[in-house]
């Protein structure tokens, strides 16, 4: 090759180098622009999220965003763990001691030791109160008592002082504590379920109500389950009932139509009951396992208000601006449905 050929080849290499450099520069520049754009977009999204959190900061139940690792406040071990207002109750593995610790700090407030040969079985307190006034514990069979008899111990939740202890029957169909009272359900001699609200300390009866049982006995997967919530007493089982906590009035009773439990096969519950401060709902189909169950909503007096398409899925946090709107979910279609009960109309439905 001639001198001019070498010059041409060198010139091509130089131009090729410049071209590759330009391309690499463009790619790097584009990548930097993309990264800068993503950073800017993320910053904008963070500001939007912070603004949304700030807008709902005053709504009870909301917490800051979980954008950082959680710090463990405290840790304790317990075989049984339950909440009692501002306290957490921990039962040791051998059942000999119940310890009450502060829910915020984890500091021990008081403890209840074994009061005899029988271990402590269970402690109950008002689950809805910010500061439970009393804790009611049941020790094993009282000395010389018949089967099913326990020693009931009533403690001051503030410091663990024993206010009263006395022999008492185990509630065969559930027990709960509300304020300073005990609500229990037991089988009556006439075949009905007797629900009693009494004072925990002096045992004075506030009210007593009989609930007739379908088929003369209580079965179902919810048998023996009693809940006190939102001012209602809810009895689970093949006879499902809702009572007014204030006076014991029966607001509704449900039975599984035509179903009879046999042998060890569990029976169906009468209904699935969900409560709220302004009323309660009953879903009979849901208790039978139907995925697309519809239910009926009742007001606090037990009068029907309207129908809900799907099972209640009320949000845990709400600003209360739409008190008549209820959310429900259909298990068969996967839809979330909003219903205005006051207007008796469906507002919208969307994929859940």
């Amino acid at each position: 090759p001639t001198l001019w050929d070498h010059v041409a080849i060198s010139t091509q290499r130089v131009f090729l180098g410049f071209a590759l450099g330009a391309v690499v520069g463009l790619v790097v520049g584009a990548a930097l622009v993309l990264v800068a754009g993503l950073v800017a977009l993320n910053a904008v999204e963070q500001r939007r999220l912070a603004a949304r959190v700030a807008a709902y900061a005053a709504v009870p139940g909301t917490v800051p965003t979980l954008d950082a690792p959680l710090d463990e406040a405290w840790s304790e071990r317990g075989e049984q763990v339950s909440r009692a207002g501002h306290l957490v109750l921990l039962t040791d593995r051998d059942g000999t001691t119940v310890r009450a610790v502060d829910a915020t700090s984890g500091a021990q407030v008081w403890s209840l030791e074994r009061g005899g040969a029988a271990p402590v079985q269970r402690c109950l307190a008002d689950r809805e109160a910010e500061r439970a006034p009393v804790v009611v514990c049941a020790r094993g069979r009282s000395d010389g008592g018949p089967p099913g008899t326990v020693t009931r111990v009533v403690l001051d939740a503030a410091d663990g002082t024993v206010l009263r202890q006395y022999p008492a029957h185990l509630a065969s169909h559930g027990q709960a504590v509300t304020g300073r009272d005990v609500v229990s359900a037991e089988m009556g001699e006439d075949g009905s379920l007797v629900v009693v609200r009494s004072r925990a300390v002096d045992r004075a009866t506030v009210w007593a109500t009989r609930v007739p049982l379908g088929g003369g006995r209580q079965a179902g997967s919810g048998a023996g389950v009693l809940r006190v919530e939102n001012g209602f007493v809810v009895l689970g089982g093949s006879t499902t009932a809702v009572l007014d906590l204030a006076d014991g009035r029966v607001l509704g009773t449900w039975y599984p139509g035509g179903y009879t439990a046999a042998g060890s096969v569990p029976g169906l519950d009468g209904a699935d009951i969900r409560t709220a401060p302004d009323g309660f709902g009953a879903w009979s189909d849901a208790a039978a396992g139907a995925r697309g169950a519809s239910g009926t909503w009742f007001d606090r007096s037990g009068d029907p208000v309207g129908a809900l398409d799907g099972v209640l899925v009320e949000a845990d946090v709400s600003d209360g601006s739409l008190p008549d709107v209820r959310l429900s979910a259909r298990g068969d279609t996967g839809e979330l449905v909003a219903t205005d009960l006051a207007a008796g109309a469906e507002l919208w439905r969307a994929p859940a």
Side-chain angles (χ1 to χ4, degrees), residues 128 227-234 242-243 251 273-283 296-302 308 312-316 318 322-327 341:
E128 296 182 324
R227 309 188 330 252
V228 173
E229 55 189 34
N230 293 310
F232 299 105
V233 179
V234 181
V242 178
L243 289 70
L251 303 177
I273 303 294
R274 309 289 178 92
T275 70
D278 61 338
F280 64 94
W283 285 262
T296 302
W297 191 259
F298 301 84
D299 61 18
R300 292 203 63 88
S301 62
L308 292 174
L312 188 71
V313 289
E314 285 290 81
D316 292 331
S318 173
L322 298 173
D324 296 321
V325 176
R326 289 284 181 270
L327 298 178
L341 292 173

Side-chain angles (χ1 to χ4, degrees), residues 19-37:
L20 290 175
V23 171
V24 171
L26 288 173
V27 172
V28 173
L32 291 175
V33 171
L34 179 60
V35 171

Side-chain angles (χ1 to χ4, degrees), residues 332-345:
D332 53 350
T333 64
E335 293 177 305
L336 185 66
V337 184
T339 304
D340 188 333
L341 292 173

Side-chain angles (χ1 to χ4, degrees), residues 1-16:
T2 65
L3 177 61
W4 293 109
D5 291 332
H6 286 292
V7 170
I9 292 173
S10 298
T11 303
Q12 290 175 357
R13 289 176 177 174
V14 170
F15 280 125
L16 181 59

